Amino acid sequence: MSITTATTRRTVLRGMAATGLVAAAGTTAANAGTGPVRARPRADLPNVVFLSIDDLGWDELGSYGNTFNETPNIDRLAAEGLQFDNAYAAAPLCSPTRAALVTGLYPVRTGITDFLRQEPAASNKYLSPGIPTVPGVLGPRGYVSGLVGKWHLTETYSGAYDQRPGNPFAHGFDEVLVSEQQYIADGDYFHPYFFMPELPAREPGEHLTDRLTTEAVEFITRHRDDPFFLHLSNYAVHTTLHGKPELVAKYAAKPGADQAPNRPQLAAMLECVDDQVGRIAATLEELGLAENTLFLVTSDNGGPYRDANRPLRGGKGELYEGGIRVPLVAHWPGTVAAGRRTAQLTSTIDVLPTALALAGGRPGAEFDGVSLAPVLTDTGEVDRGPMFWVYPHFIGATHPHAAVRHGQFKLVQYLRDGRSELYHLVQDPGETTDLSRPHPAKARQLRALLEAHIAEVDLFPPTPSETAYPTLELDERFDADLSHWTMLPVPTGGPVGTVGVADGQLSVSAEELTHVVLRSEVAPGSDEVALVLDTGAFAEAGTQDTVFVGVAKDADNYLLFRYHNGHKRVGFDLRSKGRLVTAGQEPHGNLDGTVDLTGPGARYAFVLRGHVATAYADQGSGWEFLFTADTGGVLDLGDPTVRAHYRYATSVRLDDGTITLDGVTARRRG
């Protein structure tokens, strides 16, 4: 191992081949916390070890009632410390929860509200180094920051690790050990690890959880004389499950092994994580650090197996309790009293404010989270007010939705139609009985809180209106010829059918597969515009019968929202250099059959804000949110030099009959 002086705020260890350390630290985020930073004696600065278990379910630890899995070390920490019964992940999926952990902010404020995709995806999301994170908050107070394991806060997996946008060194982490160099996908638990191809094993038959444990123990040992914040970020127990064979055999032989919710593979993996907890606790004790270290063990979201979250409803990807309520154990001998359970509401967003408070800072409005120091020390409760979650995406059978918990009540609201459900979580933790009708005042109160939060975080662009978009840029009623429109067959050289204008309608007729893009002469005047297509009559024949609205450069480069009338299906086509980009797209199939644009006054809207476009539909009774398309990695329409090459466009695809369009209108904000 070599030690090299880096041009950063600390000297960091290099030598990836020996330790898995990837690169030197980058710039430090701005300091957070009010008031000047004052030096404190080392003894007054407690360490924080935050150990996350990926996809751990509510009912998978012994201390939370599981009798099949064996977690004696975590159970011991719970018996000797504090166990939370109302702890929540900040999101129902990993990346947004991880963003919340290191920022103390709701995920929506970080721009990361869904799991991040691999590099071919159209988006280019990452946690911006402009947002203060753990190193920038705690570093000025003398803390060393370390990450061992999973990061998953960038979508770039090429180029030098420390040059990738959103990498942990760009946020100022001092050491990053055994963290993914390639996309994680479904995981890999035995060396060689496909997502860390350059990482050599340190022992034959190396298991990933054991390797993370060793790296964490060595980090703690190296920094025994420094205050430190360590995120030990496990890849286990994320699917695909793959435990040590001898442990899998052990659990497979136990009574009930073949009965749900028991899973020998998961139990084997969880036992390795539990051994990890035991080794970390033993290391802290051996080094004399246990009484000066807050040790937290939790999950990044609810478990993917619904039966492992019982009696809670749902699971990973949902804002019902099974997707966001998680185990949380706090251990700190001499400070956190043994054998306590608490009903205190808490969330991932509270970890960084708590660490700052314990370090002598005064966390305030710069965080969404609050300090749990009074709860940990049993000197008081924390009146935190409402807690919010926003998941504006599709995954599995899940539609975009949001939730708020305030006291004993929780409201879940679907973002498309505003439908909401109210639950009393103390009386009904399984969310089986919707109380919206018997308690309308409470439902209105929580709905108002949630809608105010959604408006405050500016989740969606405004729906199309003259008030929101006062500047008219295009108003095409198809009452003249098409000389100011360019017809672009897709693919280039293909048929365009018969295109004409009559009686205030554009018509396209074809007897063979025809896809024609009609590009206007008008470029979007800013990156905040609303383009509305007034649909006309559909062919009601053939297999295509599709209309589009969006922007186009030419037949090989466009972003168009589509509506397929035969399937009542919506989605988008992003074409770049002649290639359709589909990697990473959300599964919009949940919307199939729910959108009908054949009625009077039906409209379809493409609303642009920066590099994200949002689809709204009006089926005759007002605008409804449908989906968003983040294309910043392929087509960044927030960049004026890119946007200047694109024009407002509409399009038709059919293989029989005639489709008509009634008009296209574009308006700009400001």
Side-chain angles (χ1 to χ4, degrees):
M1 179 189 303
S2 62
I3 300 178
T4 306
T5 301
T7 57
T8 60
R9 67 182 177 87
R10 290 188 184 273
T11 299
V12 296
L13 299 175
R14 290 187 180 270
M16 183 177 65
T19 67
L21 184 61
V22 185
T27 58
T28 304
N31 182 36
T34 58
V37 176
R38 294 184 175 89
R40 301 184 71 194
R42 169 65 179 90
D44 291 342
L45 295 173
N47 309 306
V48 178
V49 176
F50 184 87
L51 188 150
S52 58
I53 307 173
D54 201 330
D55 284 3
L56 178 71
W58 172 254
D59 188 34
E60 291 183 324
L61 298 178
S63 60
Y64 280 81
N66 192 289
T67 58
F68 182 78
N69 302 333
E70 298 176 18
T71 55
N73 292 298
I74 300 175
D75 300 345
R76 178 178 63 82
L77 262 59
E80 295 177 357
L82 177 61
Q83 181 166 313
F84 287 80
D85 292 331
N86 285 291
Y88 287 89
L93 289 164
C94 58
S95 296
T97 297
R98 294 168 192 279
L101 167 68
V102 297
T103 64
L105 300 174
Y106 286 121
V108 67
R109 296 195 202 278
T110 72
I112 297 177
T113 54
D114 200 5
F115 73 94
L116 298 193
R117 271 63 171 176
Q118 54 190 327
E119 195 162 346
S123 54
N124 181 28
K125 296 179 182 176
Y126 57 90
L127 182 61
S128 170
I131 301 174
T133 53
V134 168
V137 173
L138 299 180
R141 297 178 182 274
Y143 277 74
V144 175
S145 55
L147 169 70
V148 176
K150 187 173 181 178
W151 177 244
H152 202 182
L153 289 174
T154 183
E155 291 185 334
T156 299
Y157 293 93
S158 59
Y161 183 93
D162 61 352
Q163 298 301 310
R164 299 175 185 178
N167 79 82
F169 287 128
H171 286 271
F173 275 84
D174 297 299
E175 294 190 30
V176 178
L177 303 148
V178 193
S179 192
E180 67 272 8
Q181 299 166 322
Q182 302 298 323
Y183 192 67
I184 307 162
D186 289 331
D188 193 354
Y189 294 101
F190 289 89
H191 193 274
Y193 316 111
F194 71 81
F195 53 84
M196 292 182 284
E198 300 176 27
L199 182 72
R202 296 183 63 170
E203 61 183 19
E206 179 180 277
H207 186 260
L208 181 56
T209 302
D210 295 343
R211 174 64 178 270
L212 298 182
T213 305
T214 298
E215 300 290 350
V217 166
E218 292 178 355
F219 175 91
I220 292 169
T221 303
R222 278 195 299 276
H223 299 290
R224 70 179 82 184
D225 296 324
D226 303 310
F228 59 80
F229 183 105
L230 172 62
H231 182 195
L232 176 45
S233 181
N234 282 287
Y235 295 93
V237 291
H238 192 289
T239 54
T240 300
L241 302 178
H242 192 185
K244 295 179 179 178
E246 65 275 17
L247 292 179
V248 174
K250 165 189 165 180
Y251 285 99
K254 292 182 69 171
D258 58 347
Q259 300 173 9
N262 302 329
R263 294 177 175 82
Q265 285 280 1
L266 188 146
M269 295 174 71
L270 188 54
E271 181 170 325
C272 288
V273 176
D274 186 73
D275 289 344
Q276 177 187 86
V277 170
R279 283 188 61 190
I280 298 300
T283 299
L284 294 171
E285 187 68 35
E286 292 165 4
L287 296 175
L289 299 177
E291 293 187 356
N292 197 40
T293 302
L294 172 61
F295 190 4
L296 301 169
V297 179
T298 190
S299 178
D300 59 346
N301 48 250
Y305 306 103
R306 305 307 192 252
D307 55 13
N309 300 318
R310 291 174 182 165
L312 307 181
R313 176 181 177 180
K316 180 179 180 179
E318 298 176 87
L319 294 180
Y320 294 111
E321 293 292 280
I324 52 177
R325 198 189 293 199
V326 293
L328 173 62
V329 171
H331 186 259
W332 189 356
T335 300
V336 173
R340 292 170 53 215
R341 294 188 74 138
T342 179
Q344 171 69 51
L345 295 179
T346 185
S347 165
T348 317
I349 59 176
D350 298 335
V351 174
L352 184 52
T354 299
L356 177 60
L358 294 174
R362 298 190 300 277
E366 72 273 21
F367 299 112
D368 289 314
V370 298
S371 170
L372 294 176
V375 179
L376 296 172
T377 57
D378 201 19
T379 57
E381 296 182 351
V382 175
D383 182 11
R384 61 172 308 119
M387 294 195 305
F388 300 100
W389 297 263
V390 180
Y391 186 65
H393 304 284
F394 295 89
I395 185 172
T398 301
H399 288 250
H401 58 315
V404 55
R405 177 166 181 178
H406 191 203
Q408 298 177 344
F409 285 90
K410 176 183 169 190
L411 183 123
V412 178
Q413 181 167 307
Y414 286 86
L415 297 176
R416 178 180 177 186
D417 57 10
R419 173 174 54 91
S420 60
E421 304 162 3
L422 179 70
Y423 300 101
H424 191 295
L425 292 181
V426 175
Q427 298 175 357
D428 181 22
E431 296 169 295
T432 61
T433 305
D434 180 4
L435 300 176
S436 296
R437 292 195 175 188
H439 294 279
K442 178 59 70 173
R444 283 194 300 271
Q445 177 197 13
L446 266 64
R447 189 161 49 244
L449 287 171
L450 182 56
E451 290 175 353
H453 173 72
I454 289 173
E456 189 265 326
V457 298
D458 199 21
L459 179 63
F460 296 125
T463 56
S465 71
E466 290 187 25
T467 301
Y469 301 89
T471 304
L472 182 65
E473 294 195 320
L474 174 67
D475 187 10
E476 177 60 74
R477 297 295 99 189
F478 298 120
D479 51 7
D481 61 36
L482 294 173
S483 59
H484 48 293
W485 291 82
T486 302
M487 287 181 284
L488 305 169
V490 181
T492 300
V496 297
T498 301
V499 182
V501 171
D503 301 323
Q505 286 186 322
L506 168 74
S507 65
V508 180
S509 302
E511 296 179 351
E512 61 179 326
L513 180 59
T514 298
H515 184 189
V516 57
V517 174
L518 288 95
R519 186 188 65 199
S520 77
E521 297 176 340
V522 182
S526 79
D527 63 352
E528 292 189 83
V529 298
L531 178 65
V532 177
L533 172 67
D534 295 319
T535 59
F538 287 86
E540 303 291 350
T543 63
Q544 298 302 310
D545 206 11
T546 303
V547 296
F548 303 77
V549 62
V551 294
K553 177 181 178 183
D554 50 40
D556 290 329
N557 298 273
Y558 55 72
L559 173 60
L560 298 170
F561 287 173
R562 66 175 181 271
Y563 166 73
H564 187 297
N565 185 53
H567 297 296
K568 302 294 186 282
R569 175 178 295 164
V570 294
F572 70 89
D573 285 358
L574 171 63
R575 188 176 290 271
S576 177
K577 299 178 181 178
R579 180 179 62 89
L580 277 175
V581 180
T582 60
Q585 284 194 19
E586 292 180 28
H588 298 143
N590 289 350
L591 292 170
D592 285 4
T594 70
V595 181
D596 187 347
L597 297 181
T598 62
R603 299 179 293 172
Y604 195 22
F606 173 98
V607 179
L608 179 66
R609 184 164 67 179
H611 53 78
V612 179
T614 299
Y616 293 106
D618 180 356
Q619 302 184 70
S621 58
W623 290 112
E624 302 174 73
F625 164 75
L626 295 181
F627 61 85
T628 59
D630 185 337
T631 63
V634 174
L635 175 61
D636 184 1
L637 292 170
D639 184 340
T641 60
V642 173
R643 196 170 59 251
H645 295 286
Y646 282 76
R647 302 291 184 267
Y648 293 122
T650 185
S651 178
V652 170
R653 184 169 63 210
L654 73 168
D655 54 9
D656 189 18
T658 300
I659 292 176
T660 65
L661 303 178
D662 289 347
V664 184
T665 305
R667 307 189 73 93
R668 170 169 53 86
R669 285 179 68 80

